[in-house]
Amino acid sequence: MTDATTADAQSEEFVRGQLAERERFAEYLAHFEKSSRAMAEAATSDESRVYQTTIANAMKAMGQAINGGFHWQDGWRSS
């Protein structure tokens, strides 16, 4: 193997590792989004329901951002 071939192989391995880590983290966020939504539905007070819904929405946004489907400036326009 040449140095260039070794570097290319290491780069591909790095990219595969990054993609696997993103998928793993997105699954983690989806799990907590689901459990937060369940807790929001079971909440006995408005404050708890709002809190759990906020957490669920944050988990969803972070999962979308990791997968490239959300950006905090989408739809934002300067005045």
Side-chain angles (χ1 to χ4, degrees):
M1 264 190 190
T2 66
D3 287 342
T5 304
T6 301
D8 288 345
Q10 289 173 340
S11 294
E12 289 175 20
E13 184 177 336
F14 177 79
V15 169
R16 282 194 305 273
Q18 289 291 305
L19 291 173
E21 186 65 12
R22 279 186 185 164
E23 289 174 15
R24 186 190 68 75
F25 198 70
E27 289 175 13
Y28 170 84
L29 293 169
H31 167 77
F32 281 100
E33 176 192 354
K34 183 178 178 181
S35 64
S36 291
R37 293 210 189 278
M39 286 188 270
E41 287 181 27
T44 57
S45 69
D46 286 341
E47 292 84 6
S48 182
R49 191 174 359 273
V50 168
Y51 177 78
Q52 292 300 332
T53 300
T54 300
I55 297 300
N57 291 343
M59 298 295 120
K60 181 178 181 180
M62 286 188 286
Q64 289 174 331
I66 286 170
N67 290 318
F70 173 86
H71 191 277
W72 68 276
Q73 289 183 325
D74 282 352
W76 179 79
R77 297 171 196 247
S78 61
S79 308

